């Protein structure tokens, strides 16, 4: 049951092959069977079985959608009413969310079953899931390697069949890079497409929630539920949501694929480069045309991102003060001691590093030199994409320079870790939608292909991904567990 697509499971539920309670029990049993993956922070067994029972009743009356009774997992960054929402941090280890994030609420209304909350890098800061207070997640393809991050729990859970699908968030690559490392499909929507209400903020101008699934078709089903204007989020876009399933079957003849030369230059692993060549040849067989393009400002995307992301996070994380929510130190001597020790004890090393960098970049005297400069460069990077996307329908590139690396391999070298997002980060700076789809293996580990689209053209990306998945079966490969 854990290898079926959402459509197949929805069929099974309707034809009475199994109930949602049975399906949910199957996934709960698998979660218990693989504790060493450390994919889940919280398993909501009781409420999952209750929701499954309610879904079975709805199914009996026929009043249902495709997600009714389907067990999914939420990244522990989405507030979930009455359930611990930790964001992977000690500082929120005791935080029980008093409301549902819009995304969580929408899945609930659609009748999906929440199995629990999945592991992540602390405050979504990381590329390997190793900064989590709850310990690293292991990649189900090779448990000595990382699953990628920050949505590593989501990716490992979907790849290992511990959830049908999961939500993730992507500030600089956190949906796409773990999807690539774990051999699943991940979609980062256009900034503003999916509500950020109740999604714990890291860098507000970059964060975006999206689906992590086993196929493009499943991603279309999840996005259909997640997308849409939300009056509770002032950055949510009031743009009509198309029928994502309706366009999946469109043929690709005449599709123009842009290949930025900067993305295929040195630094890219040979095994990955050859997998991507094969994938591009497959697209040519489907009728696509390859066009060489250039994006001259991409080389400064990483420093630009780290100035902006750290600046925004230092402001966002000032709310964890030991007063209103989260961890509070014992016996504070005075207010300053309360703030200092609560934050000192509650935040991990990487989060502290970013707060320090962000506070520095925003301080008087440095604001113009760093923050303002970064905002200007951000515009140049965004313009590069606009120009490229005026010539082509989609841009294709690697997702990450290597396959999943060993646990511990980059933990002492933040710059090496930051470079893991070299191909994904610029897309967030430009606010564009992008996907990672499984395209093959290198050294036995999954490789992802990145598709980058025009603003709000998620339907086109899903179509392009789905057509590839009709003629290849990389997305159907599963790890031996
Ligand atoms: N790895 C990047 C960072 O640490 C991106 C993380 C993300 O997308 N949330 O900031």
């Amino acid at each position: 049951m854990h290898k079926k697509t959402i459509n197949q499971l929805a069929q099974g539920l309707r034809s009475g092959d199994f109930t949602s309670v049975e399906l949910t029990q199957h996934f709960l049993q698998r979660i218990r069977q693989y504790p060493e993956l450390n994919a889940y922070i919280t398993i909501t067994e009781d409420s999952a079985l209750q929701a499954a029972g309610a879904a079975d009743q709805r199914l009996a009356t026929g009043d249902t959608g495709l997600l009714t009774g389907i067990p999914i997992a939420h990244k522990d960054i989405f507030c979930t009413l009455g359930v611990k929402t930790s964001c992977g941090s000690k500082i929120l280890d005791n935080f029980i969310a008093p409301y549902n994030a819009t995304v969580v609420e929408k899945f609930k209304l659609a009748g999906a079953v929440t199995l629990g909350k999945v592991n992540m890098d602390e405050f979504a800061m990381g590329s390997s899931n190793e900064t989590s207070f709850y310990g690293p997640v292991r990649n189900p393809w090779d448990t000595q390697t990382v699953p990628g991050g920050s949505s590593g729990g989501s990716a490992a859970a979907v790849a290992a069949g511990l959830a049908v699908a999961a939500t993730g968030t992507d500030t600089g690559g956190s949906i796409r890079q773990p999807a690539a490392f774990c051999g699943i499909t991940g979609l980062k929507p256009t900034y503003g497409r999916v509500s950020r209400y109740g999604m714990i903020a890291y860098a507000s101008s970059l964060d975006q929630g999206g689906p992590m699934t086993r196929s493009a078709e499943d991603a279309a089903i999840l996005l259909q539920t997640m997308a849409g204007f939300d009056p509770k989020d002032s950055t949510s876009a009031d743009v009509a949501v198309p029928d994502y399933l309706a366009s999946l079957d469109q043929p690709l003849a005449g599709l123009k694929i842009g290949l930025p030369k900067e993305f295929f230059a040195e630094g890219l692993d040979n095994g990955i480069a050859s997998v991507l060549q094969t994938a591009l040849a497959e697209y040519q067989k489907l009728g696509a045309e390859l066009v060489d393009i250039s994006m001259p400002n991409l080389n400064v995307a990483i420093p630009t991102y780290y100035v902006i992301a750290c600046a925004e996070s230092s402001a966002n994380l000032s709310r964890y003060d030991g007063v209103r929510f989260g961890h509070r130190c014992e016996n504070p001597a005075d207010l300053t001691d309360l703030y200092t020790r609560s934050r000192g004890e509650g935040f991990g090393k990487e989060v502290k590093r970013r707060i320090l960098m962000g506070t520095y970049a925003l301080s008087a005297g440095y604001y113009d030199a760093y923050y303002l400069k970064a905002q200007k460069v951000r515009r140049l990077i965004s313009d590069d994409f606009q120009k490229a996307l005026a010539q082509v329908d989609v841009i294709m590139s690697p997702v990450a320079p290597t396959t999943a690396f060993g646990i511990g391999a980059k933990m002492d070298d933040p710059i090496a870790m930051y470079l893991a997002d070299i191909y994904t980060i610029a897309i967030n700076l430009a606010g564009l939608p992008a996907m990672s789809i499984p395209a093959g293996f290198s050294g036995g580990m999954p490789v992802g292909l990145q598709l980058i689209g025009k603003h709000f053209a998620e339907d086109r990306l899903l179509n392009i991904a789905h057509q590839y998945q009709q003629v290849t079966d990389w997305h159907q490969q599963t790890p031996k567990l």
Side-chain angles (χ1 to χ4, degrees):
M1 281 198 276
H2 55 273
K3 293 191 179 172
K4 290 194 156 73
T5 66
I6 294 176
N7 248 324
Q8 289 166 340
L9 291 172
Q11 287 281 322
L13 287 169
R14 274 156 192 79
S15 52
D17 298 347
F18 44 82
T19 63
S20 173
V21 168
E22 285 163 356
L23 187 61
T24 303
Q25 273 163 342
H26 174 75
F27 279 96
L28 289 168
Q29 181 269 326
R30 285 187 64 80
I31 297 168
R32 279 193 297 268
Q33 197 179 338
Y34 299 106
E36 69 275 17
L37 294 177
N38 200 23
Y40 280 77
I41 292 175
T42 305
I43 305 165
T44 50
E45 174 152 2
D46 292 347
S47 60
L49 289 169
Q50 245 172 35
D56 282 330
Q57 279 175 5
R58 266 172 85 170
L59 282 156
T61 68
D63 153 38
T64 60
L66 277 174
L67 284 171
T68 309
I70 303 292
I72 61 165
H74 287 302
K75 185 174 181 179
D76 209 17
I77 198 168
F78 288 100
C79 284
T80 323
L81 174 68
V83 176
K84 176 165 103 172
T85 300
S86 73
C87 217
S89 182
K90 179 180 174 186
I91 212 159
L92 287 177
D93 184 47
N94 63 2
F95 176 62
I96 308 292
Y99 65 101
N100 276 332
T102 294
V103 163
V104 171
E105 192 62 26
K106 285 186 166 198
F107 278 114
K108 190 177 155 208
L109 292 174
V113 172
T114 302
L115 294 164
K117 306 295 292 291
V118 278
N119 207 340
M120 55 178 287
D121 278 301
E122 185 177 6
F123 284 103
M125 297 175 185
S127 309
S128 66
N129 222 295
E130 293 168 291
T131 71
S132 170
F133 172 60
Y134 303 93
V137 173
R138 289 173 184 273
N139 189 317
W141 290 92
D142 172 358
T143 53
Q144 296 311 307
T145 66
V146 303
S150 64
S151 312
S154 311
V158 173
L162 312 187
V164 176
T167 52
T169 64
D170 191 312
T171 304
S174 280
I175 286 178
R176 292 159 285 158
Q177 184 255 24
F181 279 14
C182 291
I184 66 161
T185 299
L187 166 61
K188 180 205 97 71
T190 309
Y191 182 77
R193 186 46 117 180
V194 169
S195 169
R196 292 189 300 113
Y197 178 75
M199 192 178 105
I200 296 176
Y202 159 19
S204 307
S205 76
L206 300 160
D207 299 341
Q208 184 60 199
M212 302 181 69
T213 56
R214 270 196 278 284
S215 68
E217 184 187 70
D218 282 4
I221 295 169
L222 260 74
L223 186 63
Q224 201 73 54
T225 292
M226 296 174 85
F229 176 66
D230 180 5
K232 291 181 186 150
D233 170 6
S234 61
T235 60
S236 154
D238 198 355
V239 175
V241 177
D243 180 341
Y244 293 118
L245 286 173
S247 48
L248 290 182
D249 290 329
Q250 236 172 275
L252 298 187
L255 180 80
K256 279 200 175 129
I257 300 174
L259 303 174
K261 67 171 197 279
E262 293 80 2
F263 274 26
F264 291 90
E266 59 178 306
L268 179 63
D269 174 271
N270 286 335
I272 294 188
S274 94
V275 164
L276 298 185
Q277 289 313 328
T278 311
L280 292 170
E282 202 65 59
Y283 271 107
Q284 283 176 303
K285 280 194 232 155
L286 289 168
E289 179 195 337
L290 307 181
V291 182
D292 286 324
I293 56 173
S294 169
M295 295 201 276
N297 295 298
L298 278 179
N299 60 334
V300 283
I302 295 226
T304 306
Y305 169 88
Y306 277 97
V307 171
I308 293 172
C310 292
E312 292 183 12
S313 72
S314 76
N316 273 325
L317 271 55
S318 66
R319 74 191 61 167
Y320 307 103
D321 55 6
V323 177
R324 287 165 295 179
F325 29 63
H327 174 76
R328 178 182 297 176
C329 67
E330 302 262 343
N331 304 318
D334 54 28
L335 191 60
T336 306
D337 187 41
L338 168 76
Y339 290 157
T340 322
R341 277 202 291 128
S342 299
R343 288 167 68 81
E345 293 164 7
F347 288 135
K349 198 166 137 194
E350 183 60 27
V351 173
K352 286 177 185 162
R353 179 177 8 248
R354 300 207 185 182
I355 293 174
L356 286 172
M357 290 198 291
T359 307
Y360 181 83
L362 287 177
S363 58
Y366 291 111
Y367 182 90
D368 288 3
Y370 294 110
Y371 188 70
L372 216 58
K373 170 86 71 51
Q375 291 291 19
K376 289 179 183 164
V377 179
R378 178 179 191 169
R379 168 53 65 92
L380 295 177
I381 292 171
S382 182
D383 288 349
D384 275 1
F385 278 104
Q386 293 307 333
K387 276 183 214 142
L389 287 165
Q391 302 166 44
V392 297
D393 302 303
V394 64
I395 296 171
M396 291 196 188
S397 82
V399 180
T402 63
T403 55
F405 45 86
I407 291 181
K410 298 189 189 211
M411 271 312 262
D412 297 326
D413 186 352
I415 306 281
M417 188 72 92
Y418 296 173
L419 288 172
D421 299 311
I422 191 149
Y423 303 123
T424 49
I425 258 174
I427 287 92
N428 299 70
L429 290 169
L432 295 166
M435 285 184 84
S436 171
I437 56 173
F441 292 83
S442 172
M445 294 302 282
V447 174
L449 168 70
Q450 180 166 236
L451 322 178
I452 307 160
K454 300 180 186 180
H455 283 120
F456 299 103
E458 289 83 3
D459 49 350
R460 190 70 169 134
L461 285 184
L462 287 162
N463 161 234
I464 296 168
H466 179 72
Q467 288 305 305
Y468 179 76
Q469 294 184 343
Q470 295 307 101
V471 293
T472 58
D473 66 356
W474 302 116
H475 63 293
Q476 284 163 349
Q477 312 289 321
T478 49
K480 282 185 203 67
L481 278 178

